[in-house]
Amino acid sequence: MTDPNKVIINLALFGMTQSGKSSAGNILLGSTDFHSSFAPCSVTTCCSLGRSCYLHSFMRRRGREVTLQVQVLDTPGYPHSRLSKKHVKQEVKEALAHHFGQEGLHLALLVQRADVPFCGQEVTDPVQMIQELLGHAWMNYTAILFTHAEKIEEAGFTEDKYLYEASDTLTTLLNSIQHKYIFQYKKGKSLNEQRMKILERIMEFINKNCYQVLTFK
């Protein structure tokens, strides 16, 4: 029997090589489940599912305190430095079906470095993969997670100014996904503080979508 005071959310990470997917996944989980390091090539070569510990009294829902658990699917960079696009796409497709086939996916996070301009074919490749794997309703289940957001502050930008001056490609994408985005900062914030802020924002998106999920066959 499902516990009404416990919520499990299922997330999947997409993005280019060295965008910070695995590191972001570790922050979401509050662990070091995913191998993450700087490298001149793609580090992640296969999909991997991580589960967080229970976050007791994370929020209130219908007048009750709710315990939250997060499940995160980390995926290889796309495009990949060693694997073909076809291989990566098939790997991710099978992993989505295996892990979220029945439970469903609440949100796909497109992980994008804030200090890398969102333009050109390479940055749009992960978006195209999300569209193909999630289907026609992809925009209702997709948000952008901007990593290295501290670089924005260092450059003298506010979040609003950054988005105002963004490329037409990014602006179009943000409009498509109803402006669901999160900035992930590292400087001056503890990992737990980063995690809570990001999870609170994610729960806002999921709540707005009425806790609906995408299932995979």
Side-chain angles (χ1 to χ4, degrees), residues 119-159:
C119 56
Q121 184 61 44
E122 276 204 346
V123 298
T124 57
D125 278 343
V127 179
Q128 291 172 4
M129 181 165 72
I130 289 172
Q131 292 171 339
E132 289 176 25
L133 295 179
L134 270 57
H136 69 277
W138 71 274
M139 68 284 292
N140 298 325
Y141 298 90
T142 303
I144 302 176
L145 176 61
F146 291 104
T147 57
H148 301 272
E150 65 279 357
K151 300 291 185 182
I152 295 174
E153 292 182 335
E154 292 172 8
F157 285 86
T158 62
E159 292 179 7

Side-chain angles (χ1 to χ4, degrees), residues 17 42 44-45 76-92 125 129:
T17 288
S42 302
T44 304
T45 57
Y78 188 84
H80 200 277
S81 63
R82 292 190 297 274
L83 305 174
S84 69
K85 287 184 178 181
K86 183 178 180 181
H87 178 95
V88 173
K89 198 178 297 180
Q90 186 62 30
E91 165 84 12
V92 178
D125 278 343
M129 181 165 72

Side-chain angles (χ1 to χ4, degrees), residues 158-184:
T158 62
E159 292 179 7
D160 287 341
K161 185 181 178 185
Y162 174 86
L163 294 174
Y164 179 77
E165 297 192 10
S167 67
D168 290 343
T169 306
L170 178 55
T171 300
T172 300
L173 176 59
L174 285 168
N175 288 337
S176 297
I177 61 174
Q178 302 98 47
H179 288 266
K180 296 193 294 293
Y181 62 85
I182 306 164
F183 285 95
Q184 177 189 309

Side-chain angles (χ1 to χ4, degrees), residues 66-129:
V66 173
T67 294
L68 178 71
Q69 185 180 34
V70 184
Q71 297 193 132
V72 179
L73 181 68
D74 190 22
T75 67
Y78 188 84
H80 200 277
S81 63
R82 292 190 297 274
L83 305 174
S84 69
K85 287 184 178 181
K86 183 178 180 181
H87 178 95
V88 173
K89 198 178 297 180
Q90 186 62 30
E91 165 84 12
V92 178
K93 182 179 180 180
E94 291 175 2
L96 287 169
H98 177 70
H99 295 295
F100 303 142
Q102 292 185 328
E103 293 179 18
L105 176 71
H106 289 93
L107 195 65
L109 289 171
L110 173 64
V111 183
Q112 166 70 23
R113 288 185 64 118
D115 57 344
V116 174
F118 195 89
C119 56
Q121 184 61 44
E122 276 204 346
V123 298
T124 57
D125 278 343
V127 179
Q128 291 172 4
M129 181 165 72

